[in-house]
Amino acid sequence: MISESELLELMADLESFRVERTTSVNDSAKFSEAICAFANDLAGSGKPGYLLVGVDDAGNPSGLKANDELLRNLAGITSDGNILPAPAITAYKIALSDGRGDIAVVEVIPSNVPPVRYKGRVWIRRGPRKGTANEAEERILTERRTSAAKTFDAEPCVGSSLEDLTLELFTVGYRPLAVDAEVIAENERTIEQQLASLRFFDLRRSVPTNAGILFFAKDPLEWLPNAFVQFIQFEGSELDADIASERRFAGDLLSQLRELDQFIKGVVVQRPTAVTALREQMIQDYPLVAIRELLMNAVMHRAYNAASFIRFLKFSDRLEIQSPGPLYGESTPSNFPEQTSYRNPVIAEAMKVLGFVNRYGRGVHRAQAALQKNGNPPAEFIFGDTYFGVIIRGRA
């Protein structure tokens, strides 16, 4: 959080590439473009950028009174998935000591995995002005990523090659959803450069990233042998009960996610219950929304370099999901689920692009709300040293 004196300096520096000023309080598109541009940090300063709400183009305060609703709206800009991968931002207000009003500040940290896109376009700042990046500028951002800053999903999959990918999965199944149509039409870059701009290819090593392998490889298990989901249905309530059915979900993540999305509809059992002596209604033992949210969270947050896989277990009285890898980053048992840290930001971005994630950081809340509405107990979470688990109990 900057001080008032630092804020006044930023307001007065009309040529700074680190500042965007606006008097509007509801121009979400302008706010998003500015945040995207600061996250890309084309200048390579490594310093935060600042969206200043309540400051005119001349650097003067507009007399804004920044309420809590405005700050919540600003802080939530990155949660809708229009800015991908979601950058780290902080929203707060500074009340000017001379009584000229408040300034709402959105502080944006440069992304470790550029280029960042807003609705499929890469926004940057050229001096004090922002605009969309051309191919050369986007290439600079793509090549800037360093190995030290990468998460596992963005690291190169050493030993693999472009030939290991089914490129149609990318060009037909993913790229049109991730990149603005006009940008695609103007595109003269190689397929490697296109993949790299979305963090699926490492240009320095000339190999796909782990995320590229997971989403587009002909056989992802050749490189990541535990990248699958194992479903088992038991006849009873314990692990030693007879197995009624089982199924493994493997292959590229696009296909795997679609298959899981259809499969869980069959996991939900509907049965009639009497409302009156003459009328029945159908009830579900588990709400579909809750299962979907918690299972998709497991796919998104699991440790793909772990020597284990996702277990999706159905017992006679409950469902359990066990995901490799403990809570990640700043998330702890005491602040979960309010604090979300992304172990796999590239995978999280791709799942949002493909429609398997609705809003960032809201999956657990949506699941709990659906369980309550359906008459189920709240989901129970297990914070293991090497795994994360969740138990979903049936209706009483």
Side-chain angles (χ1 to χ4, degrees):
M1 182 172 176
I2 58 175
S3 64
E4 182 178 354
S5 61
E6 291 171 320
L7 170 63
L8 294 173
E9 289 180 10
L10 290 170
M11 290 168 58
D13 187 356
L14 302 184
E15 298 301 316
S16 175
F17 65 88
R18 296 173 55 212
V19 182
E20 174 91 4
R21 303 166 188 79
T22 181
T23 56
S24 172
V25 296
N26 54 16
D27 192 344
S28 60
K30 182 176 183 179
F31 299 163
S32 297
E33 291 166 3
I35 290 170
C36 179
F38 289 137
N40 280 318
D41 186 26
L42 181 65
S45 70
K47 298 178 180 179
Y50 297 92
L51 170 64
L52 306 181
V53 180
V55 182
D56 64 24
D57 291 339
N60 300 309
S62 64
L64 172 72
K65 294 298 181 184
N67 56 28
D68 290 342
E69 181 181 4
L70 173 60
L71 294 178
R72 282 195 301 270
N73 290 340
L74 291 172
I77 285 176
T78 59
S79 66
D80 62 8
N82 285 325
I83 306 174
L84 292 171
I89 69 171
T90 307
Y92 51 89
K93 75 174 181 180
I94 295 179
L96 298 178
S97 57
D98 58 11
R100 290 187 293 168
D102 302 330
I103 309 299
V105 179
V106 180
E107 186 171 333
V108 185
I109 304 301
S111 175
N112 286 332
V113 284
V116 176
R117 285 179 165 80
Y118 168 59
K119 291 188 174 180
R121 288 182 174 269
V122 178
W123 288 84
I124 59 167
R125 296 193 74 86
R126 302 181 185 95
R129 299 185 181 278
K130 69 175 182 290
T132 54
N134 58 37
E135 288 188 17
E137 290 163 332
E138 191 170 327
R139 190 176 301 115
I140 290 171
L141 294 172
T142 299
E143 294 175 350
R144 180 177 293 162
R145 299 196 296 268
T146 61
S147 297
K150 287 176 180 172
T151 52
F152 178 77
D153 58 348
E155 290 179 353
C157 184
V158 178
S160 67
S161 69
L162 191 67
E163 287 68 37
D164 293 307
L165 305 185
T166 302
L167 293 177
E168 189 175 344
L169 287 173
F170 173 70
T171 58
V172 178
Y174 187 82
R175 186 181 64 185
L177 300 174
V179 181
D180 184 89
E182 291 183 9
V183 174
I184 295 175
E186 299 167 357
N187 207 330
E188 297 180 358
R189 292 173 297 172
T190 65
I191 191 67
E192 292 92 341
Q193 290 168 339
Q194 294 176 52
L195 284 160
S197 73
L198 291 165
R199 290 156 290 280
F200 296 125
F201 198 84
D202 188 291
L203 291 172
R204 294 182 183 179
R205 297 285 190 93
S206 194
V207 299
T209 62
N210 289 318
I213 290 293
L214 283 165
F215 277 97
F216 310 122
K218 299 168 185 174
D219 181 13
L221 296 185
E222 179 180 354
W223 310 100
L224 299 167
N226 292 297
F228 63 91
V229 178
Q230 181 69 51
F231 171 79
I232 303 176
Q233 180 175 352
F234 296 92
E235 294 283 6
S237 60
E238 302 297 333
L239 285 170
D240 59 0
D242 290 339
I243 294 176
S245 64
E246 56 184 312
R247 179 172 172 182
R248 175 182 289 197
F249 298 86
D252 65 86
L253 269 186
L254 276 86
S255 301
Q256 194 177 139
L257 288 165
R258 288 168 182 154
E259 290 174 10
L260 280 168
D261 207 24
Q262 289 299 313
F263 177 78
I264 58 178
K265 295 175 183 178
V267 173
V268 174
V269 176
Q270 296 194 65
R271 64 180 186 274
T273 185
V275 177
T276 67
L278 300 176
R279 186 166 66 89
E280 293 182 336
Q281 71 175 17
M282 299 300 293
I283 62 170
Q284 296 179 333
D285 52 357
Y286 304 99
L288 180 62
V289 169
I291 302 172
R292 186 182 190 276
E293 291 289 347
L294 295 171
L295 188 57
M296 293 300 165
N297 265 12
V299 174
M300 182 166 60
H301 292 292
R302 65 152 291 179
Y304 280 91
N305 55 344
S308 186
F309 48 86
I310 294 174
R311 291 171 170 84
F312 181 24
L313 310 177
K314 183 175 184 180
F315 296 92
S316 57
D317 60 345
R318 69 191 185 280
L319 302 174
E320 291 190 16
I321 301 170
Q322 299 170 7
S323 179
L327 287 177
Y328 179 77
E330 297 178 2
S331 296
T332 66
S334 62
N335 64 25
F336 177 86
E338 303 306 326
Q339 175 67 51
T340 301
S341 295
Y342 289 89
R343 174 182 276 111
N344 303 305
V346 183
I347 293 172
E349 173 185 353
M351 291 180 66
K352 178 64 179 69
V353 167
L354 293 166
F356 294 105
V357 174
N358 294 311
R359 289 181 67 87
Y360 283 137
R362 301 301 302 169
V364 172
H365 292 286
R366 291 191 68 203
Q368 296 287 40
L371 288 166
Q372 181 180 27
K373 184 177 180 181
N374 196 59
N376 299 73
E380 304 163 28
F381 298 98
I382 304 169
F383 305 104
D385 292 333
T386 60
Y387 76 102
F388 176 83
V390 57
I391 299 172
I392 311 166
R393 299 195 183 277
R395 288 169 55 106

